[in-house]
Structures are given as structure tokens and as C-alpha cells.
């Protein structure tokens, strides 16, 4: 028996969070041991107080010579005595350059977006900033391939400000995308572009179908025999510069045991997670009971 689960957009973080804990196995969508938090928190990253105290004690405490003998003042490395200034924060481009990628070794091979053209002649010009997506379909295909090839910078540049996940801090946004939303546990099997709905000159909707195959990150082996299929009705808005940007969407997926469940935000997702954990516990108890019966 199949059921429908409606999640937030395929190209936004809640969907990736949904995938991070949904691990279909034996007819059950269960939580993985490596699920990401449902409430994304960031650390303050403050300079450790103990390290500061140690540093000040060494530079402003008892004057010690190079061999630990009193009487010789330790040399200062700067006029203020606090060492060299900290390096400037990394730029958005520098941060993105550090991320791993899945770009094809041969750019002449067919682009993963499914257009039939080579990557060099298809989505690469968009990813390199040489072209802008002048249609919703070109935005959709180039974003899909950006997820497949791990290009967070392009995901950010093609997301409209109306999207609930848009952030002004692009460095922080890029790091979150790289950490949580790059489908590292999935193989991109295919993209099918559906019907285009034109509501106005600056707003259009596009339906799509995405097929992803769950795989082991280390070995690349499939973790389940059948791929996962997702449908989405995406909303695109045209910017003042003529580029079409991703705004929002609604995802539907077939999943066992969740008929009629709608996921609009993290609260809905958390409620669904608790139900999955409850079902997982029942199955675990049943399996343990069966094992005990077999040993008797």
C-alpha cells in the first residue's frame, strides 16, 4: 500500500532534512543514525577564555627569558604585545572554493540535468556565471545539476529572496548548504520536467519529477533496491535583471504508512519523526521477540 507525504520544496532545506532521516527499509521509512538536527543551531565560536588567560599569563606575567630564567623580558611580536593580527574572514568565493565537488571529469559527457547536451554546453555556463536562467526550465535544470555536482554558490544565486530559506549572510548560508543539503547519500538518477503554468509575466509554476537512489557515502553502493521518486510543483519569479529564480514549491513522495500527512514546517516534520521512531521501536521489539522464540 502506498501513501502520500507532502513536504516542503525539493530544492529547500526542510526537504533535505526529510531525506536525511527517511531511510526506507523493509517497507518502513525510518530514522538514520546520522540524521541532521531539526533545529539548526550555530556555535558562538568565541575565543576560549582559558586560552586567553594562558596567553596573557605568558606575555604579561612574570618576565621570563628564553630558558625560563627570570630577568629577561619575553620579546613581543607586535607593538601591542598581542601577537600578529588575526587573518581577515574568508570571502564567499574562498569558502565555496573549499567545498568538495562532484563535477564530471569529462565536461563533454551528457549533463546530469537530462537535456541530452554536454555539461560544457548545457549547465556549465550557468554555473560559471556566463549565462543567466532566462526561463523557469533553465533555472530548474541548472539548479538540479548544481545539486548533483555540489555547487552551493549557484543554489544561492538562483534562490529568490521570497524563499523562506534565503539568508543575507551568504557565507553562513553556503556552509549550511554544504553541510546539510548536498544529497551526499543519494545518486541523481534523473530529472523529468513537466507542465509549465504561466500566471503572469513575472511568475510561473513548473512541475517536475526527480528520481534519487540512496547510496552509501563511503562505498557508493546502493542501500536499497528501489530508488526514491519525488514530485514537485515549483514556483519561479523573474528578477529585475531578467533571470528566473526559485521561490517555493510543494513536494509529494510515496511513503509507506504516512497517508494524508502534510509537512509544512519543522513542527510537522518533528511530529512525523516521533511517529517513525515509535513504529521503529515496535518493529525492534517484535524482531527481538521472534529471535528469542527461535532460540528456545
Amino acid at each position: 500500500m502506498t501513501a502520500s507525504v507532502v513536504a516542503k520544496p525539493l530544492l529547500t532545506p526542510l526537504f533535505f532534512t526529510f531525506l536525511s532521516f527517511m531511510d526506507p527499509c523493509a517497507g518502513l521509512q525510518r530514522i538514520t543514525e546520522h540524521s541532521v538536527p531539526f533545529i539548526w543551531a550555530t556555535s558562538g565560536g568565541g575565543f576560549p577564555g582559558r586560552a586567553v588567560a594562558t596567553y596573557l599569563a605568558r606575555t604579561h606575567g612574570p618576565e621570563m627569558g628564553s630558558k625560563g630564567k627570570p630577568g629577561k623580558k619575553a620579546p613581543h611580536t607586535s607593538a601591542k604585545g598581542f601577537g600578529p593580527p588575526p587573518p581577515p574572514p574568508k570571502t564567499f568565493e574562498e569558502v565555496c572554493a573549499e567545498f568538495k565537488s562532484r563535477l564530471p571529469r569529462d565536461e563533454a559527457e551528457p549533463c546530469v540535468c537530462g537535456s541530452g547536451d554536454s555539461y560544457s554546453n548545457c549547465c556549465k555556463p550557468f554555473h560559471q556565471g556566463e549565462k543567466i536562467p532566462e526561463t523557469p526550465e533553465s533555472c530548474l535544470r541548472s539548479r538540479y545539476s548544481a545539486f548533483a555536482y555540489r555547487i552551493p554558490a549557484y543554489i544561492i544565486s538562483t534562490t529568490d529572496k521570497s524563499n523562506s530559506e534565503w539568508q543575507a549572510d551568504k557565507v553562513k548560508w553556503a556552509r549550511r548548504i554544504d553541510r546539510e543539503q548536498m544529497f551526499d547519500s543519494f545518486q541523481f538518477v534523473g530529472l523529468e520536467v513537466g507542465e509549465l503554468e504561466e500566471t503572469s509575466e513575472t511568475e510561473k509554476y513548473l512541475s517536475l519529477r526527480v528520481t534519487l537512489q540512496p547510496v552509501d557515502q563511503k562505498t557508493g553502493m546502493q542501500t536499497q533496491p528501489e530508488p526514491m521518486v519525488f514530485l514537485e510543483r515549483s514556483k519561479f519569479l523573474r528578477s529585475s535583471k531578467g533571470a528566473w529564480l526559485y521561490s517555493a514549491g510543494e513536494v509529494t513522495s510515496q511513503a509507506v504508512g504516512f497517508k494524508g500527512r502534510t509537512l509544512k514546517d519543522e513542527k510537522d516534520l518533528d511530529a512525523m519523526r516521533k511517529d517513525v521512531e515509535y513504529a521503529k521501536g515496535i518493529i525492534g521489539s517484535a524482531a527481538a521477540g521472534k529471535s528469542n522464540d527461535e532460540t528456545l
Side-chain angles (χ1 to χ4, degrees), residues 15 18-24 29 183 185-187 189-190 209-215 223-231 252-255:
F15 173 69
F18 171 65
L19 282 185
S20 72
F21 75 79
M22 299 299 286
D23 179 19
Q29 302 283 347
F183 284 97
S185 296
F186 293 86
Q187 177 186 355
V189 178
R209 177 188 175 98
V210 172
T211 304
L212 303 173
Q213 174 63 56
V215 296
T223 56
Q224 68 178 59
E226 298 296 329
M228 301 175 70
V229 178
F230 299 90
L231 308 176
T252 303
S253 176
Q254 290 189 338

Side-chain angles (χ1 to χ4, degrees), residues 42-118:
T42 56
S43 61
F47 199 69
R50 186 173 183 180
V52 173
T54 303
Y55 182 83
L56 292 178
R58 290 179 177 177
T59 57
H60 292 75
E63 296 178 352
M64 305 294 290
S66 59
K67 295 184 178 180
K69 298 179 181 180
K72 293 185 180 180
K73 189 175 181 179
H76 292 304
T77 55
S78 69
K80 294 184 179 181
F82 284 88
K90 293 182 179 179
T91 65
F92 174 70
E93 291 74 15
E94 290 173 337
V95 169
C96 290
E98 294 177 348
F99 299 151
K100 66 179 181 180
S101 74
R102 292 188 290 258
L103 286 169
R105 295 180 179 179
D106 184 3
E107 296 180 354
E109 69 179 42
C111 185
V112 72
C113 79
S115 66
D117 205 348
S118 66

Side-chain angles (χ1 to χ4, degrees), residues 126-188:
F126 294 103
H127 298 163
Q128 295 291 324
E130 300 170 1
K131 295 174 63 177
I132 62 172
E134 298 180 343
T135 65
E137 182 173 344
S138 62
C139 181
L140 169 63
R141 289 189 180 278
S142 56
R143 280 176 65 89
Y144 173 85
S145 60
F147 277 112
Y149 295 141
R150 289 190 115 267
I151 312 177
Y154 188 74
I155 303 304
I156 290 175
S157 68
T158 53
T159 300
D160 189 76
K161 286 186 177 181
S162 62
N163 187 281
S164 61
E165 305 301 337
W166 189 90
Q167 291 184 239
D169 188 338
K170 291 186 177 181
V171 170
K172 184 178 179 180
W173 188 6
R175 283 175 171 158
R176 193 178 86 173
I177 291 177
D178 175 70
R179 183 176 63 251
E180 301 173 357
Q181 304 162 24
M182 284 284 94
F183 284 97
D184 291 328
S185 296
F186 293 86
Q187 177 186 355
F188 286 70

Side-chain angles (χ1 to χ4, degrees), residues 218-238:
K218 295 182 178 180
T219 65
M221 301 294 291
Q222 296 183 3
T223 56
Q224 68 178 59
E226 298 296 329
M228 301 175 70
V229 178
F230 299 90
L231 308 176
E232 178 174 346
R233 180 175 178 264
S234 303
K235 177 181 178 181
F236 295 88
L237 299 175
R238 190 173 66 181

Side-chain angles (χ1 to χ4, degrees), residues 281-292:
I282 293 177
I283 292 177
S285 298
K290 182 179 179 181
S291 177
N292 291 334

